[in-house]
Amino acid sequence: MSDSAQQAKAQKKAYDEACKRVLSERGIMAHILKACTEEFKDCDLQDIAQRYIQGEPSISHIAVEPEAISPRIESEQTEDKSGAEGTVYYDIRFHAVAPIDGKRIQLIINLEAQNDFNPGYPLLKRAVYYCGRMISSQYGTVFVKSHYEKIQKVYSIWICTMPTRKWEYNISSYQLTEKHLIGHTQAERSHYDLINIVLVCLGSKSHKQLKGILRLLNMLLLDNISFQEKNELLMSEFNVTMTPHLEKGVAAMCNLSEGIEKRGERRGEKRGWDLGKQDDVLEMLKDGVPFEKIAQYTKLSLQVIADIAKQNKLI
């Protein structure tokens, strides 16, 4: 593996870890839940963060793949290996209680930071599988025998930092619904409304062009602005306090953004961006650098960059 490839791999790993750290902060999770779930849309952000999110989130610790099932009511599955691919973990997984009609219902929520929108399979199918696993893994942890009434609703929320152009700045939800083929009798919604997938797609804009949760996430995960600016925006606009946990993630994001920009400027000066050598463009595409910034660094047109991305199945 070349030095540049090793550097890109290390940078991607660091970016992924920083994303998870930022997204697993209670104040940030509260904003995501309020914007992306029906259960919390009318709740106060502080209540979501302090009252409704339960315990500490598990970060890259709970395995997705199945293992031999045995009752374990008091402990949650933490690891499982399946086949040659090794262990696959949920990025972030946590529990929450939601106030519905004067009652509190239990939810299991998975947050995924995804910078590859076309990984070689439909991303939605992977999200469906994650939800299916969160449902099936409740056997032995939430219920045993035939007590299906105890099954808890699950959410899988995907924060996509580099979607294709047509998906930029969309938030889409997918869930089970009731459809009458004959007759009109209605089932109780809570009996089937157990799976919900949400895609939150960011893109190439500045946070200054956006509002709400898209503005918050774009600013945190993509914008190349200083740590001080991000801290001020978090406090003044979103009422999020910079905790040590969040500070470490945001600082890493800022350092990575600065490193990508300097690398792009350096390579642009050195190579003149010969179109016959596209490896550096590809590296920045895979790092999640927006098209507009790549164009700025490389002096290539947006169309040329889009063509390179398309040829390599990155859009």
Side-chain angles (χ1 to χ4, degrees):
M1 184 182 292
S2 66
D3 290 343
S4 61
Q6 288 180 331
Q7 183 183 12
K9 185 176 181 180
Q11 190 171 53
K12 181 182 182 301
K13 182 178 180 181
Y15 178 85
D16 289 345
E17 292 304 315
C19 270
K20 294 173 191 176
R21 181 174 289 274
V22 168
L23 294 176
S24 64
E25 176 67 27
R26 278 178 175 264
I28 305 304
M29 291 194 296
H31 276 277
I32 293 171
L33 292 182
K34 186 173 179 66
C36 298
T37 71
E38 183 178 350
E39 288 83 0
F40 295 107
K41 66 181 181 181
D42 297 321
C43 294
D44 178 77
L45 285 166
Q46 290 300 317
D47 282 344
I48 299 173
Q50 302 303 325
R51 294 174 56 192
Y52 299 141
I53 294 174
Q54 304 290 290
E56 294 300 319
S58 172
I59 305 173
S60 297
H61 183 64
I62 299 177
V64 176
E65 303 297 336
E67 65 177 356
I69 295 174
S70 59
R72 45 184 184 280
I73 289 292
E74 296 181 354
S75 64
E76 199 167 30
Q77 178 183 1
T78 58
E79 182 178 9
D80 176 42
K81 295 184 179 180
S82 178
E85 294 183 358
T87 304
V88 179
Y89 297 97
Y90 298 101
D91 279 0
I92 302 163
R93 184 167 141 165
F94 61 98
H95 293 261
V97 293
I100 303 295
D101 298 329
K103 301 178 182 178
R104 288 192 172 193
I105 66 167
Q106 296 284 337
L107 303 173
I108 301 173
I109 299 165
N110 159 232
L111 285 179
E112 295 289 322
Q114 183 72 16
N115 60 13
D116 188 353
F117 200 68
N118 290 304
Y121 50 80
L123 198 58
L124 268 174
K125 287 194 173 185
R126 180 177 169 190
V128 170
Y129 176 71
Y130 276 33
C131 283
R133 282 294 303 131
M134 285 191 287
I135 291 286
S136 66
S137 65
Q138 291 181 49
Y139 183 82
T141 64
V142 174
F143 73 98
V144 293
K145 298 184 178 179
S146 298
H147 289 286
Y148 299 108
E149 75 279 2
K150 295 183 179 181
I151 292 176
Q152 298 172 3
K153 182 176 181 179
V154 301
Y155 272 92
S156 189
I157 303 173
W158 294 67
I159 312 299
C160 303
T161 56
M162 281 296 294
T164 57
R165 287 306 176 106
K166 71 176 183 178
W167 279 92
E168 281 191 341
Y169 301 106
N170 276 275
I171 300 179
S172 302
S173 176
Y174 306 85
Q175 55 199 299
L176 295 177
T177 59
E178 183 177 60
K179 180 179 180 181
H180 298 289
L181 304 181
I182 298 176
H184 304 284
T185 302
Q186 292 185 323
E188 186 174 327
R189 185 179 174 185
S190 63
H191 293 174
Y192 62 85
D193 182 26
L194 294 172
I195 289 177
N196 200 306
I197 297 163
V198 182
L199 296 186
V200 180
C201 297
L202 305 179
S204 54
K205 293 181 180 179
S206 162
H207 74 279
K208 296 177 182 179
Q209 301 170 270
L210 305 168
K211 295 180 180 180
I213 190 64
L214 295 175
R215 178 178 172 90
L216 170 62
L217 294 175
N218 214 92
M219 180 271 291
L220 280 174
L221 305 182
L222 294 178
D223 281 11
N224 186 16
I225 59 177
S226 70
F227 175 86
Q228 289 74 18
E229 289 177 278
K230 293 192 178 189
N231 187 21
E232 289 173 8
L233 283 168
L234 282 172
M235 295 183 66
S236 63
E237 286 196 30
F238 302 102
N239 197 28
V240 174
T241 302
M242 185 66 77
T243 65
H245 177 84
L246 182 57
E247 180 178 355
K248 187 172 181 179
V250 173
M253 284 287 178
C254 292
N255 291 336
L256 286 166
S257 296
E258 184 179 351
I260 289 171
E261 182 167 1
K262 287 181 178 179
R263 184 180 68 187
E265 291 172 348
R266 212 165 42 238
R267 288 175 176 169
E269 292 172 1
K270 182 178 179 181
R271 294 192 174 187
W273 288 97
D274 180 359
L275 290 178
K277 297 182 179 180
Q278 302 173 357
D279 57 321
D280 295 306
V281 180
L282 288 172
E283 271 189 41
M284 285 203 283
L285 284 169
K286 291 176 181 178
D287 286 342
V289 181
F291 282 20
E292 283 76 5
K293 290 189 176 181
I294 296 176
Q296 178 186 344
Y297 306 150
T298 64
K299 310 305 180 185
L300 297 177
S301 70
L302 290 173
Q303 184 59 55
V304 169
I305 294 167
D307 289 343
I308 294 172
K310 188 178 295 185
Q311 289 167 9
N312 290 274
K313 298 182 179 180
L314 295 175
I315 57 174

